[in-house]
Every structure is written in C-alpha cells, then in structure tokens.
Amino acid sequence: DTEVTQTPKHLVMGMTNKKSLKCEQHMGHRAMYWYKQKAKKPPELMFVYSYEKLSINESVPSRFSPECPNSSLLNLHLHALQPEDSALYLCASSQVQGLPLKPYEQYFGPGTRLTVT
Amino acid sequence: LAKTTQPISMDSYEGQEVNITCSHNNIATNDYITWYQQFPSQGPRFIIQGYKTKVTNEVASLFIPADRKSSTLSLPRVSLSDTAVYYCLVGAPTSGTYKYIFGTGTRLKVLA
C-alpha cells in the first residue's frame, strides 16, 4: 500500500473556527510532512516530523499547529485562520533519511482544499 | 539550499520527446536532483532522481552533466496524459529528513 490519505477533501471554515486536517499512511514511513500550495504556485514546506518528533518548522504562524500522535498519523490543527490561508494542504511521507545520502521518495496525499471565509 | 530555474511552460505534440531543462547553479556536493510531476488538484508524484551522468527508468530519463549545474528531464513519446506541472528539486538531508524547495515548475501541455 503506497497511499497517503487525507481528510477532509474540502473544508470551509470561518476565521473564528477551529478545525483539523488529518493525514494517514501505512507504509511504515517515519518521516511525515505538511506542505501548503496556493493556486498555480509550487508547494511550500511547512513542517517535518521525524520519528514522531517535530524536526523542521519553516517559521509557520502559530495558528497552524501540527501534531504527530503516532507513526501513521499526522494532524494539522487550525485556529483563527485568515482568508490568505486558503490553499491546498498536502501531506507527504517518506522513510527517514539516513545513510546513504540519497534521498528517499516522498509520497504525497491528494490534499485538503481549505477555504477560509 | 540550491534554488532551481525552469522554463515556465512548454507545449508539445503527442508522440514527441520532451526535454525540460533545470538550472541549479549553486548545487552542493551532497545534493541530489529529483523530479516530480503534479496533476491539477493532486499531490506531486516522484518521477526520477539522480546524482550525476544519466539515469533511466520506465517513464523518463535524467541527464546530468559533469558540472551538475543543470539537468534535463527527458520524457519519450509524450501523450495527452503527460500534461502536468513538472518540478525539479535539489537538496540534501536535513535533520534526518530530506528538505526540498520546490521551484516554480514547468507547465507542460501536450497537444493532440
């Protein structure tokens, strides 16, 4: 199974709402990623988890709060978002990088289309 | 992290070979070159990866010259279903994971 699933597919939320995006993989990958992608732009890395610990935070505003409850799940908690946060949020997973230095393939989910009103 | 430069868009006809070149002038010694494909409203999908010379798999070839400051993704005999955005990425392991910076990508349109 090489699939990364994300729920929900679409989400509309107001600026005062609290919601969560969920991501799941069953490939045994111990690195998981959140990306944000605006229309006609490339994906931008937000967070990276390695062995369930946050290893990279790309200076993301605190209204985005990631969580990795176990090796298969990754959540992104959303609170007090702004309309400019509307985007496609992509989750990815990969094996944890070790030796050799050749990077492992990242497997992406289909994304959650988020609209903030 | 090395930044990449690619043509913004390309058009091709079905059955033709398509070559997309990526410039990465400040590539570091440990960096690998990776290409991803993305269809609308989907996550990117891995195509091919290399470090130097030539790499070939069942869908594409990747040509990397000796100085590694550029690379070329070659798609043989494209079809309409190859219409997508193609991203060239370079990077090295960071904190136990591989940190990619996606460039602007190349929008390939395959015409009948």
Side-chain angles (χ1 to χ4, degrees):
Chain A
D1 180 8
T2 58
E3 188 180 21
V4 176
T5 59
Q6 291 188 243
T7 56
K9 283 187 167 46
H10 301 274
L11 178 64
V12 179
M13 61 185 290
M15 289 189 284
T16 58
N17 291 158
K18 284 185 179 180
K19 297 286 185 182
S20 296
L21 309 185
K22 295 185 185 302
C23 173
E24 189 168 8
Q25 57 87 16
H26 294 287
M27 294 176 276
H29 290 165
R30 302 301 294 276
M32 297 187 76
Y33 311 76
W34 280 115
Y35 290 85
K36 172 183 176 180
Q37 186 174 28
K38 302 281 275 185
K40 297 192 185 301
K41 297 292 185 183
E44 299 174 27
L45 183 65
M46 300 174 72
F47 303 104
V48 181
Y49 273 82
S50 178
Y51 293 111
E52 296 86 69
K53 293 190 188 310
L54 185 65
S55 61
I56 297 176
N57 177 341
E58 292 288 88
S59 302
V60 178
S62 59
R63 57 185 184 269
F64 295 91
S65 176
E67 178 195 21
C68 191
N70 61 53
S71 59
S72 301
L73 292 174
L74 185 66
N75 298 323
L76 186 63
H77 303 298
L78 314 172
H79 173 55
L81 295 193
Q82 304 297 310
E84 58 264 29
D85 295 322
S86 297
L88 181 69
Y89 287 84
L90 295 162
C91 172
S93 71
S94 75
Q95 296 183 53
V96 173
Q97 197 63 52
L99 292 176
L101 294 178
K102 182 177 177 180
Y104 294 116
E105 175 183 348
Q106 290 188 17
Y107 292 81
F108 284 81
T112 293
R113 177 80 55 193
L114 174 68
T115 302
V116 182
T117 61
Chain B
L1 290 174
K3 288 193 174 180
T4 61
T5 303
Q6 304 173 231
I8 293 174
S9 64
M10 296 178 70
D11 287 348
S12 181
Y13 289 94
E14 279 191 292
Q16 289 189 331
E17 178 185 73
V18 170
N19 295 310
I20 305 175
T21 297
C22 178
S23 172
H24 29 80
N25 289 323
N26 58 339
I27 189 169
T29 303
N30 290 339
D31 287 351
Y32 275 74
I33 299 153
T34 309
W35 286 80
Y36 278 78
Q37 174 194 56
Q38 188 177 25
F39 298 111
S41 297
Q42 293 187 25
R45 186 175 68 175
F46 175 89
I47 302 174
I48 197 167
Q49 176 183 269
Y51 184 79
K52 61 181 179 181
T53 63
K54 177 184 174 182
V55 179
T56 298
N57 63 21
E58 61 275 10
V59 298
S61 294
L62 178 59
F63 299 91
I64 304 168
D67 67 5
R68 305 201 326 121
K69 293 185 183 299
S70 67
S71 58
T72 299
L73 173 71
S74 180
L75 304 172
R77 298 180 299 282
V78 294
S79 63
L80 295 175
S81 62
D82 293 317
T83 294
V85 179
Y86 291 82
Y87 292 102
C88 164
L89 303 94
V90 299
T94 302
S95 303
T97 57
Y98 206 84
K99 182 175 174 177
Y100 288 127
I101 300 295
F102 281 79
T104 52
T106 297
R107 292 183 178 277
L108 173 65
K109 185 174 182 180
V110 179
L111 307 169

